[in-house]
Coordinates of all heavy atoms in Angstrom, one line a residue:
V162 N 198.9 -52.8 -147.8 CA 200.1 -52.0 -147.4 C 199.6 -50.5 -147.5 O 199.0 -50.1 -148.4 CB 201.2 -52.2 -148.4 CG1 202.4 -51.3 -148.1 CG2 201.7 -53.6 -148.5
V163 N 200.0 -49.8 -146.4 CA 199.7 -48.4 -146.3 C 201.0 -47.7 -146.2 O 201.8 -47.9 -145.3 CB 198.8 -48.1 -145.1 CG1 198.5 -46.6 -145.0 CG2 197.5 -48.8 -145.2
D164 N 201.3 -46.8 -147.1 CA 202.5 -45.9 -147.1 C 202.3 -44.8 -146.1 O 201.3 -44.0 -146.3 CB 202.8 -45.4 -148.4 CG 203.3 -46.5 -149.4 OD1 204.0 -47.5 -148.8 OD2 203.1 -46.4 -150.6
M165 N 203.1 -44.7 -145.2 CA 203.1 -43.5 -144.2 C 204.5 -43.3 -143.6 O 205.3 -44.2 -143.6 CB 202.1 -43.8 -143.1 CG 202.3 -44.9 -142.2 SD 201.2 -45.1 -140.8 CE 199.8 -45.6 -141.6
P166 N 204.7 -42.0 -143.2 CA 206.0 -41.7 -142.6 C 206.2 -42.5 -141.3 O 205.2 -42.9 -140.7 CB 205.9 -40.3 -142.3 CG 204.8 -39.8 -143.0 CD 203.9 -40.9 -143.3
Y167 N 207.4 -42.7 -141.0 CA 207.8 -43.5 -139.7 C 207.1 -42.9 -138.5 O 206.6 -43.7 -137.7 CB 209.3 -43.6 -139.6 CG 209.8 -44.4 -138.4 CD1 209.7 -45.8 -138.5 CD2 210.3 -43.8 -137.3 CE1 210.1 -46.5 -137.4 CE2 210.8 -44.6 -136.3 CZ 210.7 -45.9 -136.3 OH 211.1 -46.7 -135.3
E168 N 207.2 -41.6 -138.3 CA 206.6 -41.0 -137.2 C 205.1 -41.2 -137.1 O 204.5 -41.4 -136.0 CB 206.9 -39.4 -137.2 CG 208.3 -39.1 -137.0 CD 209.1 -39.3 -138.3 OE1 208.5 -39.3 -139.4 OE2 210.3 -39.4 -138.2
Q169 N 204.4 -41.2 -138.2 CA 203.0 -41.4 -138.2 C 202.7 -42.9 -137.8 O 201.7 -43.2 -137.2 CB 202.4 -41.1 -139.6 CG 200.9 -41.2 -139.6 CD 200.4 -40.9 -141.1 OE1 201.1 -40.6 -142.0 NE2 199.1 -41.0 -141.2
A170 N 203.5 -43.8 -138.3 CA 203.4 -45.2 -138.0 C 203.5 -45.4 -136.5 O 202.8 -46.2 -135.9 CB 204.4 -46.1 -138.7
L171 N 204.5 -44.7 -135.9 CA 204.7 -44.8 -134.4 C 203.6 -44.3 -133.6 O 203.3 -44.7 -132.5 CB 206.0 -44.2 -134.0 CG 207.3 -45.0 -134.4 CD1 208.5 -44.1 -133.9 CD2 207.3 -46.3 -133.7
A172 N 202.9 -43.2 -134.2 CA 201.8 -42.6 -133.5 C 200.5 -43.4 -133.5 O 199.6 -43.0 -132.9 CB 201.6 -41.2 -134.1
Q173 N 200.5 -44.4 -134.3 CA 199.2 -45.2 -134.4 C 198.9 -45.8 -133.0 O 199.8 -46.3 -132.3 CB 199.4 -46.4 -135.3 CG 199.6 -45.9 -136.8 CD 198.4 -45.4 -137.4 OE1 197.3 -45.9 -137.3 NE2 198.5 -44.2 -138.0
P174 N 197.6 -45.9 -132.7 CA 197.3 -46.4 -131.3 C 197.5 -47.9 -131.4 O 197.3 -48.6 -132.4 CB 195.8 -46.1 -131.2 CG 195.3 -45.9 -132.6 CD 196.5 -45.4 -133.4
R175 N 197.9 -48.5 -130.2 CA 198.2 -49.9 -130.1 C 196.9 -50.6 -130.0 O 195.9 -50.1 -129.5 CB 198.9 -50.2 -128.8 CG 200.3 -49.7 -128.8 CD 201.1 -50.3 -127.7 NE 202.0 -51.3 -128.4 CZ 203.1 -51.8 -127.8 NH1 203.3 -51.5 -126.6 NH2 203.9 -52.6 -128.5
E176 N 196.8 -51.8 -130.6 CA 195.7 -52.6 -130.5 C 195.4 -53.1 -129.1 O 196.4 -53.4 -128.4 CB 195.8 -53.8 -131.4 CG 195.6 -53.6 -132.9 CD 195.5 -54.8 -133.7 OE1 194.9 -55.8 -133.3 OE2 196.1 -54.8 -134.8
K177 N 194.2 -53.1 -128.7 CA 193.8 -53.6 -127.3 C 194.0 -55.1 -127.3 O 193.6 -55.8 -128.2 CB 192.4 -53.3 -127.0 CG 192.0 -53.6 -125.6 CD 190.6 -53.1 -125.3 CE 190.2 -53.4 -123.9 NZ 189.9 -54.7 -123.6
H178 N 194.7 -55.6 -126.3 CA 195.0 -57.0 -126.2 C 193.7 -57.7 -125.7 O 193.1 -57.3 -124.8 CB 196.1 -57.3 -125.2 CG 196.4 -58.7 -125.0 ND1 195.9 -59.5 -124.0 CD2 197.3 -59.5 -125.7 CE1 196.3 -60.7 -124.1 NE2 197.1 -60.8 -125.1
T179 N 193.4 -58.8 -126.4 CA 192.3 -59.6 -125.9 C 192.8 -61.0 -125.7 O 193.6 -61.6 -126.5 CB 191.2 -59.7 -127.0 OG1 191.8 -60.2 -128.2 CG2 190.5 -58.3 -127.3
P180 N 192.4 -61.6 -124.6 CA 192.9 -62.9 -124.2 C 192.3 -63.9 -125.2 O 191.2 -63.7 -125.8 CB 192.4 -63.1 -122.8 CG 191.3 -62.2 -122.6 CD 191.5 -61.1 -123.5
P181 N 192.9 -65.1 -125.3 CA 192.4 -66.1 -126.2 C 191.1 -66.7 -125.7 O 190.8 -66.6 -124.4 CB 193.5 -67.2 -126.1 CG 194.4 -66.9 -125.0 CD 194.2 -65.5 -124.7
R182 N 190.3 -67.2 -126.5 CA 189.0 -67.8 -126.2 C 189.0 -69.3 -126.6 O 189.6 -69.7 -127.6 CB 187.9 -67.1 -126.9 CG 187.6 -65.7 -126.3 CD 186.5 -65.1 -127.1 NE 187.1 -64.6 -128.4 CZ 186.5 -64.0 -129.3 NH1 185.2 -63.8 -129.2 NH2 187.0 -63.7 -130.4
R183 N 188.3 -70.1 -125.8 CA 188.2 -71.5 -126.1 C 187.2 -71.7 -127.3 O 186.1 -71.1 -127.2 CB 187.7 -72.3 -124.9 CG 187.6 -73.7 -125.1 CD 187.0 -74.4 -123.8 NE 186.7 -75.7 -124.0 CZ 187.4 -76.7 -123.5 NH1 188.4 -76.5 -122.7 NH2 187.0 -78.0 -123.7
P184 N 187.6 -72.4 -128.3 CA 186.7 -72.5 -129.5 C 185.6 -73.4 -129.1 O 185.7 -74.4 -128.4 CB 187.6 -73.2 -130.5 CG 188.9 -73.6 -129.9 CD 188.9 -73.0 -128.6
S185 N 184.4 -73.0 -129.6 CA 183.1 -73.7 -129.3 C 183.1 -75.0 -130.0 O 183.8 -75.2 -131.1 CB 181.9 -72.9 -129.6 OG 181.8 -72.8 -131.0
M186 N 182.3 -76.0 -129.5 CA 182.1 -77.3 -130.1 C 181.5 -77.1 -131.5 O 181.9 -77.8 -132.4 CB 181.3 -78.2 -129.2 CG 181.2 -79.6 -129.7 SD 182.8 -80.3 -129.8 CE 182.5 -81.9 -130.4
L187 N 180.6 -76.2 -131.7 CA 180.0 -75.9 -132.9 C 181.1 -75.5 -134.0 O 181.1 -76.0 -135.1 CB 178.9 -74.8 -132.9 CG 178.3 -74.4 -134.2 CD1 177.5 -75.6 -134.8 CD2 177.4 -73.2 -134.0
F188 N 182.0 -74.6 -133.6 CA 183.0 -74.1 -134.5 C 183.9 -75.3 -134.9 O 184.3 -75.5 -136.0 CB 183.9 -73.0 -133.8 CG 185.1 -72.6 -134.7 CD1 184.9 -71.8 -135.8 CD2 186.3 -73.0 -134.3 CE1 186.0 -71.5 -136.6 CE2 187.4 -72.6 -135.0 CZ 187.2 -71.9 -136.2
R189 N 184.3 -76.1 -133.9 CA 185.2 -77.3 -134.1 C 184.5 -78.3 -135.1 O 185.1 -78.8 -136.0 CB 185.6 -78.0 -132.9 CG 186.5 -77.1 -132.0 CD 186.9 -77.8 -130.7 NE 185.9 -77.4 -129.7 CZ 185.7 -78.1 -128.6 NH1 186.2 -79.2 -128.4 NH2 184.8 -77.6 -127.7
A190 N 183.2 -78.5 -134.9 CA 182.5 -79.4 -135.8 C 182.4 -78.9 -137.2 O 182.5 -79.6 -138.2 CB 181.1 -79.8 -135.2
L191 N 182.1 -77.6 -137.3 CA 182.0 -77.0 -138.6 C 183.4 -77.0 -139.3 O 183.4 -77.3 -140.5 CB 181.5 -75.5 -138.4 CG 181.3 -74.7 -139.7 CD1 180.2 -75.3 -140.5 CD2 180.9 -73.2 -139.3
L192 N 184.4 -76.7 -138.6 CA 185.8 -76.7 -139.2 C 186.1 -78.1 -139.8 O 186.6 -78.3 -140.9 CB 186.8 -76.3 -138.2 CG 188.2 -76.2 -138.7 CD1 188.4 -75.2 -139.9 CD2 189.1 -75.7 -137.6
R193 N 185.8 -79.1 -139.0 CA 186.0 -80.5 -139.4 C 185.2 -80.8 -140.6 O 185.6 -81.5 -141.6 CB 185.8 -81.4 -138.3 CG 186.0 -82.9 -138.6 CD 185.9 -83.8 -137.5 NE 186.3 -85.1 -137.9 CZ 185.8 -86.2 -137.4 NH1 184.8 -86.2 -136.5 NH2 186.3 -87.4 -137.7
A194 N 183.9 -80.5 -140.6 CA 183.0 -80.8 -141.7 C 183.4 -80.1 -143.0 O 183.4 -80.7 -144.1 CB 181.6 -80.4 -141.4
L195 N 183.8 -78.8 -142.9 CA 184.3 -78.1 -144.1 C 185.6 -78.6 -144.6 O 186.0 -78.4 -145.8 CB 184.3 -76.6 -143.8 CG 183.0 -76.0 -143.5 CD1 183.2 -74.5 -143.1 CD2 182.1 -76.0 -144.7
S196 N 186.4 -79.2 -143.7 CA 187.7 -79.8 -144.1 C 187.6 -81.1 -144.8 O 188.5 -81.5 -145.6 CB 188.6 -79.9 -142.9 OG 188.8 -78.7 -142.2
A197 N 186.6 -81.8 -144.6 CA 186.4 -83.2 -145.0 C 186.5 -83.4 -146.6 O 187.2 -84.3 -147.0 CB 185.1 -83.8 -144.5

Side-chain angles (χ1 to χ4, degrees):
V162 178
V163 177
D164 288 328
M165 64 175 69
Y167 183 71
E168 293 76 23
Q169 186 181 358
L171 285 178
Q173 296 290 314
R175 292 195 109 162
E176 285 189 37
K177 186 178 184 280
H178 180 268
T179 56
R182 290 177 284 179
R183 182 182 171 107
S185 70
M186 186 60 181
L187 176 66
F188 174 76
R189 289 180 269 158
L191 183 63
L192 182 59
R193 182 176 187 212
L195 293 175
S196 302

